[in-house]
């Protein structure tokens, strides 16, 4: 069966640095990969979507890449700020639905 | 501001009770979803609906049912609540399926079954 894995449960980073989060999938390449932000006790908030035929997508300080050879998506936050501290989820589109990874909890230290 | 509204933020129910979780969206989306989220397991799909009166099972439908009588409303029903259904329940909607668009989530209902 298809699996999606975020291999870091937690990541601490100094304010101003670039945070890089990893998402790996097995077997078939999804047509779309999505990234969400989730704050404690709240629902996930959609951030970015990248298509299979796109290598890179940007939105303000956020950048997502999609490497179908490595079966991997990377999520970057440049010039990180304490307000970026949250859990970030990746999700793959599969069989007409979205399947989520377990998330990486990012802490940006002032 | 478009939104998905879940009727309760916190619920405490007794084992064996029938529980209704309500979700309403104001975006005229075709697709609606129910997930549960547990530590270490992430979000798991319970049921989804791609049209009024239509429903499809997700990964973990056992012990749950759903109802979609109107386009904007999708209800999750726990027929006989059990302690292993203690969890955070999240409703979401999207214009279409297939991951073409991001999902809009509600704030979640934290259900405790005692």
């Amino acid at each position: 069966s298809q699996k999606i894995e975020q291999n870091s449960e937690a990541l601490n980073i100094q304010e101003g640095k670039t945070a890089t989060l990893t998402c790996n999938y097995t077997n078939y390449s999804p047509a779309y990969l999505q990234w969400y932000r989730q704050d404690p006790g709240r629902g996930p908030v959609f951030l970015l979507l990248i298509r299979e035929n796109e290598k890179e997508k940007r939105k303000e300080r956020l950048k997502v890449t999609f490497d179908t050879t490595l079966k991997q998506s990377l999520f970057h936050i440049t010039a990180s700020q304490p307000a970026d501290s949250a859990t970030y989820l990746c999700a793959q589109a599969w069989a007409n639905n979205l399947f989520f990874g377990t998330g990486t909890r990012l802490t940006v230290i002032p | 501001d478009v939104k998905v509204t879940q009727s309760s933020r916190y619920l405490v129910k007794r084992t064996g009770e029938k529980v209704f979780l309500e979700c309403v969206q104001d975006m005229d989306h075709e697709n609606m979803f129910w997930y549960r989220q547990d530590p270490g397991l992430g979000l798991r799909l319970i049921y989804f609906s791609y049209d009024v009166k239509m429903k499809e099972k997700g990964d973990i439908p056992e012990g749950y049912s759903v109802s979609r009588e109107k386009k904007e409303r999708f209800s999750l029903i726990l027929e006989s609540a059990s302690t292993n259904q203690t969890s955070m329940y999240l409703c979401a909607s999207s214009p279409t399926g297939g991951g073409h668009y991001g999902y809009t989530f509600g704030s979640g209902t934290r259900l405790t079954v005692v």
Side-chain angles (χ1 to χ4, degrees), chain B residues 50-111:
Chain B
Y50 51 86
D51 202 353
V52 175
K53 296 192 185 295
M54 306 301 289
K55 61 184 180 185
E56 294 284 345
K57 293 179 180 179
D59 292 332
I60 51 165
E62 297 78 17
Y64 303 95
S65 62
V66 290
S67 172
R68 194 164 179 204
E69 296 295 319
K70 293 184 178 182
K71 190 175 185 179
E72 67 270 19
R73 187 180 296 271
F74 192 36
S75 303
L76 179 69
I77 303 152
L78 286 66
E79 298 291 342
S80 178
S82 64
T83 54
N84 64 10
Q85 292 179 309
T86 292
S87 186
M88 169 72 102
Y89 289 87
L90 290 160
C91 176
S93 73
S94 74
T96 66
H100 300 251
Y101 297 91
Y103 287 10
T104 302
F105 280 87
S107 295
T109 296
R110 186 165 293 282
L111 173 68

Side-chain angles (χ1 to χ4, degrees), chain A residues 1-97:
Chain A
S1 62
Q2 192 77 338
K3 283 186 181 179
I4 188 162
E5 295 176 347
Q6 295 181 252
N7 51 8
S8 295
E9 192 173 316
L11 177 67
N12 294 334
I13 194 164
Q14 208 68 35
E15 182 177 4
K17 300 292 186 184
T18 296
T20 299
L21 284 63
T22 305
C23 178
N24 296 290
Y25 58 89
T26 61
N27 299 332
Y28 305 106
S29 179
Y32 304 89
L33 266 170
Q34 300 187 11
W35 285 88
Y36 290 77
R37 169 185 173 136
Q38 187 174 25
D39 292 290
R42 312 296 296 186
V45 174
F46 172 70
L47 296 175
L48 280 169
L49 176 152
I50 187 165
R51 293 174 174 77
E52 186 180 17
N53 60 356
E54 295 176 318
K55 297 294 184 190
E56 182 179 297
K57 201 79 165 282
R58 291 176 184 261
K59 179 182 175 182
E60 298 172 351
R61 294 185 295 111
L62 309 180
K63 184 177 84 170
V64 173
T65 62
F66 193 170
D67 189 326
T68 55
T69 302
L70 294 178
K71 296 187 176 180
Q72 182 178 82
S73 175
L74 298 179
F75 177 81
H76 306 271
I77 305 175
T78 58
S80 58
Q81 305 165 1
D84 295 326
S85 298
T87 295
Y88 292 86
L89 308 172
C90 72
Q92 63 172 350
W94 185 251
N96 215 34
N97 281 306

